[in-house]
Amino acid sequence: MSDNQRPGQGPADGKGGSGGGKRRPRRRRGGRPAEQQQGDKPKRKRNNRRGKNSRGGRNQNNRRKSQYQQRHDSSIETRDETSAGGLVVSGMAEAVGPDGKVDMSRIYVALIGRLDRRGRLLWSMPKGHVENGEHQWKTAEREVWEETGITGEAFDTLGTIDYWFVSDGVRIHKTVHHNLLRYVDGVFNDEDPEVTEVAWVPMSELMEHLAYADERKLARIACDRMPDLARKEAQAGRATPR
């Protein structure tokens, strides 16, 4: 070994030494060997993330776009539908105390429960389709009787909900009128095949029972108005039938 030769180096004759030997490609930090950078393109790694540009993201966007087009495409048949129903209320006059205060836990409303596709019991207000020439109050009374078995008398409007949906290629604009009905008589039955359960619910617990946000908004309106309505019932001497 010569004085100028480092340990591990061969003789400077090109055989394995630093003079003429083939050097191993140097790797750049975080990259590929220099020869590979200048040669063939590397294979692209598959992106498994379900981001906006992934296949799943595109499919979801396409579905949303398709639904939007169905609802707004002027070439699709459009139909209007109207329903009516509401809350049957019992015990209004009896809930008024001697001092005029109203105990909301003594006022009861009738709700129906239906099972959804997941088997969950969802509570809502009874309602149904308005027939031709039928006043929506009469519809509410009829549908309440058909779905619950009890008879109610509509005495005040509560509010209206409207929404759009697509069914069998038809774009439908649905309007649902909700009312307040005074309990007259009757007992619950389960003859309606679309109704799973019927129950009296204290008005103080109404908000937590209803499954749909739009109906909860109407329930809030009913709860806010109920003290004044109950006092009017008491002043008129309308006792709840037992």
Side-chain angles (χ1 to χ4, degrees), residues 119-135:
R120 299 175 300 179
L121 186 63
L122 304 180
W123 293 97
S124 63
M125 304 179 192
K127 65 186 74 69
H129 181 70
V130 176
E131 302 294 342
N132 292 332
E134 186 178 43
H135 191 277

Side-chain angles (χ1 to χ4, degrees), residues 6-27:
R6 296 180 181 178
Q9 285 184 324
D13 58 356
K15 297 181 181 181
S18 59
K22 183 178 181 181
R23 295 185 179 181
R24 296 178 59 186
R26 297 180 60 187
R27 296 183 65 89

Side-chain angles (χ1 to χ4, degrees), residues 7-241:
Q9 285 184 324
D13 58 356
K15 297 181 181 181
S18 59
K22 183 178 181 181
R23 295 185 179 181
R24 296 178 59 186
R26 297 180 60 187
R27 296 183 65 89
R28 296 185 179 182
R29 182 177 299 178
R32 302 181 302 276
E35 293 179 355
Q36 188 175 353
Q37 291 177 351
Q38 299 175 359
D40 298 335
K41 294 184 178 180
K43 295 182 179 179
R44 296 183 62 182
K45 293 183 178 180
R46 183 177 179 180
N47 186 4
N48 293 325
R49 297 179 60 187
R50 290 292 189 184
K52 180 178 180 181
N53 296 324
S54 65
R55 182 177 300 177
R58 289 195 299 269
N59 290 342
Q60 186 175 6
N61 290 337
N62 290 338
R63 285 194 298 269
R64 291 176 179 174
K65 184 178 180 181
S66 175
Q67 293 173 358
Y68 179 87
Q69 290 174 341
Q70 286 181 333
R71 294 185 182 185
H72 297 83
D73 188 354
S74 59
S75 64
I76 297 179
E77 178 186 354
T78 301
R79 185 171 66 227
D80 291 326
E81 292 186 359
T82 306
S83 295
L87 289 174
V88 181
V89 187
S90 174
M92 286 186 288
E94 292 75 11
V96 182
D99 57 356
K101 292 184 178 180
V102 178
D103 185 356
M104 299 290 281
S105 65
R106 297 185 61 186
I107 301 177
Y108 288 82
V109 295
L111 298 181
I112 60 172
R114 291 189 174 99
L115 293 177
D116 67 356
R117 296 179 179 178
R118 299 181 181 180
R120 299 175 300 179
L121 186 63
L122 304 180
W123 293 97
S124 63
M125 304 179 192
K127 65 186 74 69
H129 181 70
V130 176
E131 302 294 342
N132 292 332
E134 186 178 43
H135 191 277
Q136 62 104 354
W137 275 18
K138 291 300 181 183
T139 303
E141 295 171 353
R142 174 177 55 80
E143 288 294 333
V144 163
W145 179 80
E146 291 179 359
E147 294 189 341
T148 67
I150 62 177
T151 301
E153 178 187 11
F155 68 95
D156 202 356
T157 57
L158 185 55
T160 302
I161 297 173
D162 75 294
Y163 53 92
W164 292 84
F165 65 96
V166 176
S167 177
D168 297 329
V170 179
R171 184 174 56 193
I172 299 174
H173 180 215
K174 184 142 188 190
T175 303
V176 186
H177 300 280
H178 294 78
N179 307 278
L180 291 173
L181 296 86
R182 185 184 295 111
Y183 171 77
V184 177
D185 61 19
V187 293
F188 289 149
N189 65 45
D190 55 356
E191 294 181 1
D192 193 318
E194 296 183 357
V195 177
T196 305
E197 289 188 27
V198 186
W200 287 112
V201 175
M203 201 148 199
S204 56
E205 303 175 9
L206 177 59
M207 298 290 295
E208 60 191 70
H209 273 79
L210 291 171
Y212 305 106
D214 289 339
E215 289 194 354
R216 288 196 295 270
K217 292 179 181 178
L218 295 178
R220 172 56 63 192
I221 296 174
C223 290
D224 292 341
R225 293 167 54 187
M226 190 51 56
D228 289 339
L229 293 174
R231 282 188 282 266
K232 289 181 180 179
E233 292 289 298
Q235 292 172 1
R238 293 193 184 96
T240 301

